[in-house]
Amino acid sequence: KYIKNNFLLKDMFTVFRLVADMLHLLSFVILILKIRNSKNCLGLSVKTQELYLVVFCTRYLDLILRFSDQTLYLVVMKLLFIGATAYTIYLMRYEKPYCISYDAMADDFQHWQILVPGAFVAALIIHRDFTFYDMLWSFSIWLEAVAIFPQLRMLAKIKEVENLTGNYMAALGFYRIFYIFNWINRYAVEGFVCWTSVLGGLAQAAVYGDFLFYYIKSVKDRKIFLPV
């Protein structure tokens, strides 16, 4: 009986991680389709996308440093995340007509000056291991936790959020929540816990918490209004 329960928990762990990854991938699809179909990037922060690109490039250095540990699934997903983020930045900064509507004045969060150094300090305090790769990995965890700040700042100025933009951010928020479920199940099955991932993930979930509250609350109205 115990072996069956243990086996079921491992299956659930796999499902939680798969759902989380698919939600993460869905967020890119929603965002790129929103930009291309509407032919604008109104209300979107390119600074958030730049931070995500830094997150993926520092976290996925194992594609080079530890390639033998990779599976086909991991390689494909990591390359998709990097490629989709870089493509989104290209659309918003350089590709017409999309880049014309980018509001650089409203996207004024000082991400390089505040968030990147802050994530670096957090990684020095809380990290998995004191090696070059693991410090970069820990840095990426803390940076991802706050990478959405520029986007939230833009939406707070607009107050009313487009449905597709809201769906994009909700997919990101729920992706992190499912990863938390994944960690809970992994701890229950294997007794394994990585406190850097857990604390960074909880911080990220807390950042999204307020938005997800208003997102769920606004489902009936089909309009998302955020407080200033």
Side-chain angles (χ1 to χ4, degrees):
K1 186 176 180 180
Y2 173 79
I3 294 175
K4 283 186 177 181
N5 287 340
N6 202 34
F7 178 73
L8 286 173
L9 283 172
K10 284 185 178 181
D11 280 352
M12 288 173 64
F13 155 73
T14 302
V15 169
F16 282 134
R17 179 168 182 174
L18 181 62
V19 171
D21 285 345
M22 292 304 104
L23 283 169
H24 202 178
L25 193 60
L26 177 64
S27 71
F28 290 109
V29 174
I30 293 172
L31 181 61
I32 292 172
L33 287 180
K34 178 251 187 295
I35 294 173
R36 293 195 64 89
N37 290 344
S38 65
K39 299 190 184 304
N40 70 69
C41 52
L42 293 172
L44 295 177
S45 168
V46 77
K47 293 185 176 181
T48 281
Q49 300 306 314
E50 290 170 346
L51 291 174
Y52 279 132
L53 186 59
V54 174
V55 166
F56 297 138
C57 288
T58 51
R59 183 176 303 171
Y60 299 150
L61 276 177
D62 57 355
L63 287 172
I64 300 172
L65 302 177
R66 300 179 180 178
F67 186 76
S68 60
D69 296 337
Q70 308 300 308
T71 64
L72 179 61
Y73 172 82
L74 289 176
V75 171
V76 171
M77 293 297 285
K78 290 174 181 180
L79 290 178
L80 280 175
F81 291 162
I82 294 172
T85 306
Y87 179 62
T88 302
I89 294 171
Y90 170 76
L91 289 178
M92 295 180 68
R93 283 217 179 268
Y94 306 110
E95 181 72 10
K96 293 181 180 181
Y98 318 107
C99 65
I100 297 174
S101 58
Y102 169 60
D103 190 352
M105 294 292 291
D107 194 13
D108 59 356
F109 199 104
Q110 295 183 322
H111 58 328
W112 300 125
Q113 295 90 337
I114 299 174
L115 299 181
V116 172
F120 179 74
V121 171
L124 287 176
I125 299 171
I126 305 175
H127 50 267
R128 186 170 60 180
D129 197 5
F130 202 74
T131 64
F132 174 73
Y133 168 72
D134 285 307
M135 287 301 296
L136 285 179
W137 179 86
S138 300
F139 164 78
S140 76
I141 294 295
W142 292 110
L143 186 59
E144 184 182 12
V146 296
I148 201 66
F149 277 3
Q151 182 63 68
L152 288 173
R153 181 180 175 88
M154 285 196 75
L155 295 184
K157 292 178 180 180
I158 299 171
K159 293 184 67 174
E160 183 177 345
V161 184
E162 290 185 14
N163 287 336
L164 285 177
T165 303
N167 292 339
Y168 156 69
M169 293 187 59
L172 284 176
F174 286 121
Y175 131 74
R176 181 48 66 191
I177 289 173
F178 271 92
Y179 252 102
I180 292 174
F181 292 154
N182 168 32
W183 297 329
I184 293 171
N185 276 279
R186 188 171 182 186
Y187 178 74
V189 173
E190 305 173 19
F192 174 83
V193 59
C194 173
W195 285 110
T196 304
S197 290
V198 171
L199 294 175
L202 289 174
Q204 186 176 355
V207 169
Y208 278 94
D210 191 53
F211 173 83
L212 290 176
F213 170 78
Y214 287 101
Y215 177 83
I216 295 171
K217 185 179 178 181
S218 65
V219 168
K220 292 183 179 180
D221 300 330
R222 297 185 179 182
K223 288 185 178 181
I224 307 169
F225 294 94
L226 298 178
V228 178

